[in-house]
Amino acid sequence: MRLSEEKIKAAIQHSDTEIRQRAIRYFSASYSTDPSIMPLVIKAVETFGRQDAYHLIGFSRDLSQTEETIAWIIDELNDEESNKHENYVYNLSMVLVQADPALLLPRESDIFEARHFMRGLHTPIVERLRMLSWDEATCWQELEEFCEAGKDAKYVNDVNLGYANLIVEALARYGDACEPKVKAVFDVEVDDYSHHPMKWLEPLVVRLAGQANLESVIPQIVARLHDNSDLLGKECADALIRIGTPAVVHAIAEAFPTAERHFRIYAVNPLENIHSDLAVETCLKLIDTEKDQLIRNNLGYALLSQFAYEGIEPVRQLLIGKKLDFEGKGLRGELLDTCVIMGERFPEYDEWLATKKAEKEEHRKSVEELKGDPAGLIKYALEKLAGKKLDDLPKPKPALPSASASSLSFPLQQASKQKVGRNDLCPCGSGKKFKKCCLMRN
């Protein structure tokens, strides 16, 4: 049995900022279309203040907006005090960048004239408003031309995928009408992606299938999770979350036990964010047989994200009696926050909560002492992630002389040149893992 969504909504007004964030993530990470969530976020900001509100607003980028919430954001951007709060006006601006362009169109001039709207974010809004007038044929033509122009690019950073994503968003408005061409793209077989437009067209069409809610192509999307590509893997997981039907969970459950490790890592995301009893049942079965500790932990996160009463004990068993590394401490914190919202307790609750508070205070003091010392902060973050002093880490082995870096090429590795791992500390400085922070909002 899962906690009711009404009780999760109530937690958005909790006095602890981490609990508020936890509740908002439940809705934003699942791409909820419930228009009542953002007003609750606004109420929380107005109740508890704007000093640390950038976290709440940042997690609100994927929430459904209304004319009233857009008006509130514009008013906040016009408040002369707003830019005094860390990252607050940036995240407010980003909510507008990702809001339904039909809501932005009547307020275009108000947005651009707002005192603190981030000027560098004009372009995506202008482009999204321009694309409102595109018909389906124009959208497909622009998408195919983008992929053709970028066919020789090797890395995500070498093409403007942000612009391509805007085209996909415009095309998704045509819903089921996109289905024949989506299926046609999925039927294309490519032996060498290195100089082929399908390098970009395939993940973009996966993204389109998710945004257009094309349930008929679930098997093709799940099949692509077997490809070891960060870009394609993330797009497949997001698309399956957006489609969000029982058929998605059944398809993942069938493939998961015998699939490759990278498949299982990405396939946990839909199980985490498609909120259903079926997803809970699937996670409970998979966590019993999974041998990989990282994936077991991820399944634990998925159970907690479902706010399932049956999930508390399996996650406790993942933690009890173990010396916790960075990943384990994160899971312990998630368990504690989940129990606060659900009103549940377990034998070690008080002890683990006290330990968490002590570690948090120690972290605060360490960061405070290292202010003004960027190198020290980086070293501290690396040591925290590794769970040991840098001097205790094994020295890197010398490179093999048989191959030089210049002779190697990775045209099929669809990842950024400076990649942040899903389980690394988030570069935004929140102190959370990347997969639990900014990765959700990309």
Side-chain angles (χ1 to χ4, degrees):
M1 185 173 70
R2 294 178 296 118
L3 188 69
S4 72
E5 292 201 343
E6 289 306 310
K7 291 185 177 179
I8 300 172
K9 289 180 183 181
I12 298 175
Q13 308 304 316
H14 197 278
S15 59
D16 187 324
T17 183
E18 290 188 4
I19 301 301
R20 296 197 294 274
Q21 293 173 45
R22 177 79 175 77
I24 294 168
R25 287 204 328 259
Y26 172 89
F27 297 101
S28 63
S30 63
Y31 301 106
S32 171
T33 58
D34 185 342
S36 72
I37 308 302
M38 188 63 191
L40 295 174
V41 175
I42 291 171
K43 181 180 178 182
V45 171
E46 294 180 338
T47 300
F48 299 104
R50 291 153 177 80
Q51 186 60 41
D52 294 314
Y54 74 95
H55 289 296
L56 304 184
I57 300 300
F59 283 122
S60 301
R61 296 182 194 178
D62 290 312
L63 294 178
S64 181
Q65 304 298 324
T66 64
E67 292 180 6
E68 291 75 20
T69 63
I70 295 295
W72 180 86
I73 292 170
I74 294 171
D75 287 343
E76 288 293 288
L77 288 171
N78 278 315
D79 190 316
E80 61 182 18
E81 300 292 319
S82 289
N83 67 333
K84 296 181 180 180
H85 308 299
E86 181 184 7
N87 290 334
Y88 185 56
V89 297
Y90 172 75
N91 280 345
L92 286 169
S93 299
M94 283 301 300
V95 172
L96 293 178
V97 167
Q98 295 184 213
D100 182 347
L103 291 173
L104 303 181
L105 187 59
R107 303 299 304 270
E108 180 180 3
S109 60
D110 296 329
I111 292 169
F112 293 155
E113 293 169 8
R115 183 196 302 260
H116 298 302
F117 180 76
M118 304 296 288
R119 303 306 167 195
L121 299 177
H122 278 74
T123 299
I125 290 184
V126 170
E127 292 289 357
R128 295 177 76 221
L129 295 179
R130 181 172 68 93
M131 291 177 187
L132 282 173
S133 64
W134 288 7
D135 60 19
E136 184 189 357
T138 300
C139 291
W140 276 113
Q141 180 180 344
E142 291 287 334
L143 188 64
E144 291 166 355
E145 288 179 357
F146 171 89
C147 296
E148 178 65 27
K151 66 181 180 181
D152 295 325
K154 292 183 179 181
Y155 303 102
V156 168
N157 287 355
D158 294 333
V159 295
N160 187 357
L161 270 184
Y163 177 74
N165 290 340
L166 297 184
I167 301 174
V168 168
E169 176 192 57
L171 189 51
R173 290 196 295 270
Y174 294 96
D176 291 343
C178 301
E179 187 174 310
K181 291 206 70 170
V182 168
K183 288 183 174 180
V185 171
F186 285 158
D187 287 341
V188 174
E189 295 184 6
V190 179
D191 293 327
D192 182 5
Y193 284 81
S194 57
H195 299 285
H196 200 289
M198 279 290 289
K199 181 194 310 181
W200 310 114
L201 186 59
E202 187 172 32
L204 288 168
V205 166
V206 168
R207 186 183 187 91
L208 170 61
Q211 294 192 6
N213 291 303
L214 302 182
E215 187 173 6
S216 65
V217 296
I218 290 172
Q220 291 93 325
I221 297 174
V222 172
R224 279 156 178 78
L225 272 177
H226 291 282
D227 294 344
N228 192 7
S229 161
D230 287 346
L231 175 61
L232 191 55
K234 180 183 181 304
E235 293 296 352
C236 288
D238 283 354
L240 293 171
I241 293 168
R242 286 181 182 275
I243 294 171
T245 61
V248 171
V249 180
H250 283 302
I252 290 173
E254 181 179 357
F256 197 101
T258 59
E260 309 88 341
R261 186 173 190 266
H262 59 264
F263 177 102
R264 304 198 314 279
I265 287 174
Y266 278 106
V268 172
N269 291 351
L271 298 179
E272 178 176 345
N273 295 304
I274 297 175
H275 300 137
S276 68
D277 292 339
L278 177 61
V280 172
E281 179 185 339
T282 302
C283 287
L284 288 170
K285 289 180 179 178
L286 295 176
I287 203 169
D288 279 342
T289 57
E290 179 59 55
K291 303 300 182 185
D292 186 294
Q293 188 60 47
L294 172 64
I295 299 173
R296 292 192 78 202
N297 283 349
N298 288 351
L299 286 165
Y301 273 110
L303 284 169
L304 296 177
S305 294
Q306 295 281 352
F307 287 98
Y309 291 95
E310 308 95 310
I312 292 175
E313 181 58 23
V315 175
R316 173 178 173 264
Q317 291 299 326
L318 290 175
L319 300 168
I320 194 167
K322 296 178 181 177
K323 183 178 179 181
L324 301 183
D325 56 10
F326 179 78
E327 176 75 17
K329 290 178 181 178
L331 184 59
R332 181 193 62 195
E334 197 85 346
L335 174 59
L336 291 167
D337 290 348
T338 301
C339 285
V340 170
I341 294 174
M342 298 181 70
E344 290 292 296
R345 295 295 182 267
F346 51 89
E348 299 80 13
Y349 179 88
D350 291 332
E351 176 190 348
W352 288 3
L353 182 60
T355 301
K356 177 190 173 184
K357 289 180 178 178
E359 290 172 351
K360 186 176 179 180
E361 178 61 18
E362 180 184 355
H363 172 75
R364 186 195 65 77
K365 289 181 178 178
S366 297
V367 172
E368 186 69 25
E369 291 171 0
L370 290 168
K371 274 187 177 179
D373 180 9
L377 279 169
I378 292 173
K379 180 181 178 183
Y380 170 71
L382 290 172
E383 289 178 343
K384 188 173 182 181
L385 183 61
K388 58 183 70 177
K389 297 292 183 182
L390 287 183
D391 293 340
D392 298 331
L393 295 175
K395 303 297 181 185
K397 295 179 180 180
L400 296 175
S402 58
S404 66
S406 61
S407 68
L408 300 178
S409 177
F410 303 96
L412 299 184
Q413 185 64 32
Q414 298 173 339
S416 62
K417 296 174 183 177
Q418 297 179 339
K419 186 172 72 173
V420 180
R422 297 176 73 253
N423 293 294
D424 292 349
L425 287 170
C426 188
C428 77
S430 67
K432 296 182 181 294
K433 289 176 293 181
F434 181 50
K435 72 180 181 183
K436 289 293 175 183
C437 192
C438 289
L439 176 61
M440 292 182 169
R441 302 198 296 270
N442 289 344

